[in-house]
Amino acid sequence: NTIIYKYSTQVSSATNNQMELSAVLHALQYIDEHPENTCIIYSDSAYAVNACNDWVYTWAANGWRNSKNHIVENIAFMQEIYRYLTKGFFRPDIRKCSGHTGELGNELADALATNNMKKYKELIEGWGIIDGYEEEDCYECDGRCLNCDLFNGERCLGEKE
């Protein structure tokens, strides 16, 4: 097994659901940029999986209002995710996985999300995984990346759009 791409960022003011949606959105962006790759997106967040597989279509049809007629939470994320999901040329497979149960992909994601590089290295070495992705140098963004837009302008270490 070889890791061909990885991404993580920390945003101090973000909620858990926002970070889960951010991860799904980033995966959708990767799929969009690399359509030759078949991809299954796994998330341990029932909220993110249900929102992307089911709720987003109802919310869009109802003017981004939920069943209680309130504006959908995390609307900026959901609208951006919806944009990718309705492009028409692909329908990503987004699946729920159990969190913190030793499932390798989830443990790797957790290590990256918590910036636990020791755990990350132990996992890839222990499982014989090649980390074939060389990250570009990080930089402090100028406030114009997608993450900053979605997290209400908080500066992050992210990729420029």
Side-chain angles (χ1 to χ4, degrees):
N1 292 332
T2 302
I3 295 171
I4 59 169
Y5 182 76
K6 66 181 183 257
Y7 173 84
S8 72
T9 190
Q10 288 80 36
V11 179
S12 61
S13 65
T15 66
N16 184 54
N17 284 341
Q18 288 171 331
M19 293 309 296
E20 294 286 352
L21 292 173
S22 177
V24 170
L25 179 56
H26 203 78
L28 292 171
Q29 291 168 329
Y30 180 83
I31 294 167
D32 186 45
E33 294 168 6
H34 301 88
E36 69 281 2
N37 293 335
T38 303
C39 187
I40 300 170
I41 300 170
Y42 290 96
S43 176
D44 63 5
S45 167
Y47 168 78
V49 172
N50 290 330
C52 294
N53 285 334
D54 299 316
W55 305 336
V56 69
Y57 303 101
T58 303
W59 292 337
N62 292 336
W64 298 102
R65 295 194 169 272
N66 63 23
S67 61
K68 295 180 182 178
N69 204 29
H70 297 130
I71 295 293
V72 171
E73 289 185 32
N74 304 310
I75 188 172
F77 284 102
M78 295 314 308
Q79 288 174 329
E80 189 67 11
I81 287 169
Y82 181 76
R83 188 174 71 80
Y84 281 98
L85 293 176
T86 57
K87 279 193 166 187
F89 61 88
F90 73 95
R91 173 88 173 154
D93 189 357
I94 304 172
R95 298 181 188 176
K96 172 80 171 75
C97 69
S98 296
H100 312 290
T101 59
E103 193 279 318
L104 179 60
N106 186 262
E107 294 298 329
L108 286 168
D110 182 67
L112 289 172
T114 59
N115 204 26
N116 187 342
M117 297 288 75
K118 180 180 178 200
K119 176 182 175 182
Y120 178 81
K121 288 177 183 176
E122 288 172 357
L123 286 166
I124 63 171
E125 289 170 8
W127 284 84
I129 297 170
I130 299 166
D131 189 347
Y133 180 73
E134 293 184 25
E135 296 182 68
E136 297 176 11
D137 292 335
C138 291
Y139 62 92
E140 186 170 350
C141 89
D142 58 7
R144 292 184 295 188
C145 72
L146 179 61
N147 279 340
C148 289
D149 290 342
L150 295 174
F151 290 115
N152 299 319
E154 180 174 326
R155 295 183 74 168
C156 66
L157 294 176
E159 296 180 19
K160 288 184 182 179
E161 290 297 307

